[in-house]
Amino acid sequence: MAAFPPVIAANLHCLEQAIELLGQLPEDAFVRTEERHARTVGPHLRHVLDHYSAFFAGLAGFRLDYDAREREPGLESDRALAIARLREILGELVLVEEELLELPVQIRLECGGTESEQWSHSTVRRELQFLLSHTVHHFALIAMVLERFQIVVPDDFGVAPSTLKFWQAQAPCAPLPG
């Protein structure tokens, strides 16, 4: 596999984890129902996918509007559709060229105020960092949801790369001989 910039590689890793996890889940742990809206995996995963889709929808024009998400309900109840969307996003991520990372983008995210106050300056790299952080956050919530179903996720699922690095630094060293 080609070497990707770390921010792209980290996003790829998270989304690949989701594909692997979805293949192992029982239906009742994934499917959104009206009475269990956010207490299943589907709504959290759909929300994450919506953000990646908004990123790629706006990338060509360098204007990303995270509020213009599709919020496609099928992604909350159809694992095959969710996996297909994950694979589409993976395919788009691997095409992001390193030279693009430092280019400026305009970002819209509703915070109140006037329309002109909704747009901020950023870069492609910073938005990929945001997507990574956002994805890790929702994966941590997914891990908590899955505890209810007695489903164990990998130790690094829903854990920030900086935390993983910290844990590795804290790991005890092997005793010295003698």
Side-chain angles (χ1 to χ4, degrees):
M1 180 157 79
F4 295 104
V7 69
I8 293 174
N11 277 277
L12 291 169
H13 174 72
C14 282
L15 298 178
E16 289 164 349
Q17 283 183 310
I19 290 172
E20 187 173 328
L21 181 68
L22 287 180
Q24 302 169 10
L25 289 183
E27 197 66 18
D28 63 338
F30 178 77
V31 174
R32 171 191 186 247
T33 63
E34 291 307 315
E35 64 275 4
R36 298 183 319 182
H37 176 67
R39 291 181 278 166
T40 56
V41 171
H44 290 289
L45 184 62
R46 190 254 328 136
H47 179 75
V48 166
L49 294 173
D50 285 349
H51 277 75
Y52 279 99
S53 294
F55 171 82
F56 284 110
L59 187 58
F62 298 99
R63 285 179 66 87
L64 314 179
D65 186 349
Y66 292 117
D67 291 330
R69 299 187 310 274
E70 288 188 34
R71 296 174 172 90
E72 188 177 342
L75 294 172
E76 298 182 6
S77 57
D78 184 339
R79 274 194 289 183
L81 182 61
I83 289 170
R85 181 66 51 81
L86 281 161
R87 288 190 174 128
E88 286 173 19
I89 292 167
L90 286 169
E92 290 178 280
L93 270 171
V94 300
L95 296 176
V96 174
E97 296 177 7
E98 190 164 4
E99 299 77 37
L100 201 64
L101 296 178
E102 301 313 321
L103 293 179
V105 291
Q106 293 290 306
I107 307 302
R108 182 175 188 280
L109 187 64
E110 182 67 45
C111 305
T114 67
E115 177 65 22
S116 64
E117 294 171 324
Q118 304 310 313
W119 290 92
S120 300
H121 303 284
S122 188
T123 65
V124 173
R125 178 188 307 278
R126 176 62 191 107
E127 293 312 303
L128 286 167
Q129 291 169 335
F130 159 73
L131 288 170
L132 176 62
S133 177
H134 182 256
T135 300
V136 168
H137 165 76
H138 278 277
F139 282 12
L141 292 171
I142 287 170
M144 290 173 54
V145 164
L146 292 176
E147 284 180 5
R148 228 173 29 100
F149 295 92
Q150 288 79 46
I151 296 172
V152 178
V153 298
D155 289 341
D156 65 340
F157 187 86
V159 179
S162 61
T163 302
L164 293 171
K165 190 173 184 178
F166 174 78
W167 287 351
Q168 288 172 342
Q170 299 302 307
C173 296
L176 296 174

